[in-house]
Every structure is written in structure tokens, then in C-alpha cells.
Amino acid sequence: MKRLPRWSSRVVAWSFGLMLALVLTVAGQVAAAAEVATLALTGRMGERALLMIEGQANVLSVGQSHAGAKLLAWQGDQALVEHNGTRVLLRVGATPVVFAGGTQPVSSGREIVLSAGPGGHFITGGAINGQAVQFMVDTGATMVAMSQRDAQRLGLDLRNARLSMAQTANGPVPVQQVSLTRVRVAGVEISNVDAIVLPASMPHVLLGNSFLTRFQMRRDNDVMRLQLR
């Protein structure tokens, strides 16, 4: 058997190492991709929902499941969908909901652990007064903030809400101040949380400081820990 020149052996070893590195990189990307799921409601046909799941169009009737997503019910023009145990409300044309590995909240009874999703945002499912909502943590918001549309869906009584002005990126806007009976994230529930209702449409309910200050908050890179005070 003819032996390879010494330089050829080095080339073969280098080529094998490069191929191995490429395989490991691709495997890592595939694994990372497997941990990310996106859901979006793109249309409604009677009682059926046209859902984009992982970029693929699927038509689901109430009670049907596909790729870990299940259409539970319609709440007005919004679809209540469960994805691997987490319930979210989807609206046609709204920003897709992203589930990244670890973005679902973990609770030990007194502590909530959140992991940042794409863009560095902390987005999680939760509930207000027992109704499912999609929260986005906003440490710059004084209170929990939601759109008027969400407030109506949640059945909040705005007749006696206190009127005030709030400063937003688009300037001052009139808002209505209310008190939320219960706000739940993971297994932790807080009572009597102040909130504001804005007239503009919003893709998420902002989880502001009227909720966050009930916790000792610590952030380690892409992980946020909320320890009940």
C-alpha cells in the first residue's frame, strides 16, 4: 500500500477536522432550531383557524392539534391556542408568538424564572383574572399596560376607571387606570395590581412595575429571576 506524503496526511487530518467542525455547527443549529417554535393566526374560516406553525400553514378545527399546537376555542375574533402546555391568544395580523427553548416560565411557588427569547425580550403566557394573556416584561413601564381591546376581552369594568395621561413613544395619550384582581405568571399569582388601559392596539400586555416590584428581580444574562418578596 502506497503511503501518503507527510504533507498529504496533514491535509487529510485538517480536512477531517474541518468537516467535523462543520457537522457540529450544523447539528447545533438544528438543535437550536428545534427548540424554537412560532405560531401566528393568519385567517379564520367559520370555526376553523388558519395557523402558521413553524412557517407551515395548517387548518385546525376546535379541539384539533398539529405539531404541538391545539386550537382550544374562539374568544371573539381571537383564537385560544395551547402549545406544549402554554396557552396563548392569537389575533389575525398580530405579531407571531415565539416559543424559544426556555422562554416558557418556570415557577417554584415563590420564584418565576424567565429566559429571553429572540430580540432579548422576555415574553411569557399568563393570566389576568383567570383569562389567558400574553405578557411582555417591560421594566420601563410604571404599571401593567394593555389595549382597550384586551380590557374588553377580559371583561374589565371601565365605567369608573380613573382618567389620566401617560407618556408614550408617540407622546402623551389619555389612559384609564384600573385595578386587576389577579395577575398570574407560571404558578405565582399577585392580587390587586394597578394597570392602565391605552386606546392603541398592542401585541402584548406589558408586565410593568406594578407587578414586578412585588418581586426581588435579578437578571443573569438571558435569564430573569423574580423572587416573591
Side-chain angles (χ1 to χ4, degrees):
M1 180 177 177
K2 186 177 179 180
R3 297 183 60 187
L4 290 170
R6 185 175 300 174
W7 64 268
S8 298
S9 300
R10 287 199 296 268
V11 169
V12 170
W14 177 83
S15 299
F16 178 79
L18 178 60
M19 289 175 63
L20 179 61
L22 288 172
V23 168
L24 290 175
T25 299
V26 171
Q29 291 173 343
V30 170
E35 295 176 352
V36 177
T38 57
L39 293 178
L41 179 64
T42 57
R44 178 175 182 174
M45 297 173 288
E47 291 301 302
R48 296 187 297 171
L50 179 58
L51 290 174
M52 293 296 290
I53 307 172
E54 303 284 357
Q56 299 294 320
N58 297 271
V59 178
L60 298 183
S61 299
V62 175
Q64 285 188 323
S65 303
H66 182 77
K70 182 178 182 179
L71 177 61
L72 299 178
W74 286 98
Q75 296 186 5
D77 62 347
Q78 297 183 97
L80 179 61
V81 178
E82 184 176 77
H83 182 274
N84 293 337
T86 298
R87 294 185 176 189
V88 295
L89 281 165
L90 303 178
R91 183 184 295 123
V92 175
T95 304
V97 176
V98 179
F99 296 85
T103 58
Q104 298 183 21
V106 178
S107 171
S108 62
R110 294 185 59 84
E111 184 182 48
I112 301 168
V113 182
L114 302 171
S115 295
H121 298 296
F122 293 92
I123 298 174
T124 178
I128 293 175
N129 297 348
Q131 299 280 342
V133 298
Q134 192 77 359
F135 287 116
M136 183 173 75
V137 175
D138 187 350
T139 56
T142 304
M143 301 182 195
V144 172
M146 71 185 73
S147 68
Q148 198 165 56
R149 192 171 188 176
D150 280 327
Q152 292 171 348
R153 179 182 65 80
L154 294 170
L156 299 183
D157 187 357
L158 302 179
R159 291 173 297 180
N160 297 318
R162 186 159 64 91
L163 299 178
S164 61
M165 299 295 292
Q167 188 65 39
T168 70
N170 296 321
V173 296
V175 299
Q176 296 167 289
Q177 292 190 26
V178 296
S179 180
L180 306 175
T181 305
R182 293 175 292 137
V183 177
R184 173 180 288 269
V185 177
V188 181
E189 185 171 276
I190 302 296
S191 301
N192 303 320
V193 179
D194 290 333
I196 58 173
V197 178
L198 293 88
S201 178
M202 299 167 59
H204 304 95
V205 175
L206 301 182
L207 199 61
N209 287 316
S210 57
F211 178 88
L212 298 174
T213 52
R214 306 282 190 96
F215 298 82
Q216 183 69 41
M217 184 168 56
R218 187 174 81 252
R219 179 171 177 174
D220 301 313
N221 297 320
D222 289 338
V223 176
M224 178 178 289
R225 298 178 181 275
L226 302 173
Q227 179 73 43
L228 195 61
R229 293 182 186 275

